[in-house]
Amino acid sequence: MREHHERPDGTGYPAGLTEMSELAHALRVTDVFTAKISPRAFRAAMSIQAAAKQLFQDERGGPMAAGLIKALGLYPPGDLVELKSGEVAVVIRRGPSATTPKVATLTNRHGKAMVETHVRDTADPQFAVVGPYAERQGLTRVLPERVYGYIFA
């Protein structure tokens, strides 16, 4: 579907259209968002939160951008977050709102790797998300089965 490269202001390609189908628009929004959060040879990946904000602004709060953000949340599965408790956790699923995902702890409040994973509800104020966690270097690898609830060490 070549139409997904078109833009409402006519600056897209290949035909410079000002109108596109709803399906093409949905594909364009998804394509742009995915490109922003993916690293390129000439730039680092944009944070999910920054990409969502930029997409929402570019789309002027339109339903496609709002729908994508609502579906993924601001902290989608796999994203690392820091909690108010001081713990670092990985998002395992969307919560009741875009800003309150369900998470599995990776470290305790002192930054030490945890032997046992705890599922936290970030809608609870003591476990609220403070923000994304960028310091991935010091984290110990954790079995996916443990994080996603299949087994707990």
Side-chain angles (χ1 to χ4, degrees):
M1 174 172 288
R2 298 179 338 164
E3 196 180 316
H4 85 281
H5 289 288
E6 301 291 354
R7 302 180 67 109
D9 64 3
T11 61
Y13 64 91
L17 302 175
T18 56
E19 292 188 28
M20 64 188 91
S21 71
E22 194 171 297
L23 182 59
H25 188 197
L27 183 57
R28 180 184 170 282
V29 166
T30 305
D31 186 39
V32 167
F33 181 77
T34 303
K36 288 176 189 280
I37 65 171
S38 301
R40 299 289 189 249
F42 55 91
R43 65 158 175 82
M46 186 180 282
S47 76
I48 291 168
Q49 296 74 29
K53 180 179 179 181
Q54 193 176 79
L55 180 68
F56 193 76
Q57 290 172 338
D58 291 350
E59 289 285 315
R60 296 184 176 96
M64 294 292 179
L68 180 70
I69 294 166
K70 184 177 180 180
L72 293 177
L74 289 178
Y75 305 102
D79 205 12
L80 296 180
V81 294
E82 186 174 350
L83 306 180
K84 187 175 180 183
S85 63
E87 297 165 314
V88 173
V90 61
V91 176
I92 55 175
R93 64 181 167 277
R94 193 176 183 302
S97 78
T99 59
T100 58
K102 301 287 186 199
V103 301
T105 56
L106 299 176
T107 73
N108 65 19
R109 62 188 178 102
H110 303 293
K112 302 286 185 199
M114 298 180 71
V115 175
E116 193 172 319
T117 300
H118 299 282
V119 175
R120 303 284 193 224
D121 181 355
T122 62
D124 180 338
Q126 68 179 331
F127 300 116
V129 173
V130 175
Y133 185 76
E135 299 298 321
R136 297 170 185 253
Q137 301 296 41
L139 292 177
T140 306
R141 186 177 186 283
V142 176
L143 291 172
E145 294 85 0
R146 186 178 117 190
V147 172
Y148 289 98
Y150 297 114
I151 60 173
F152 287 87

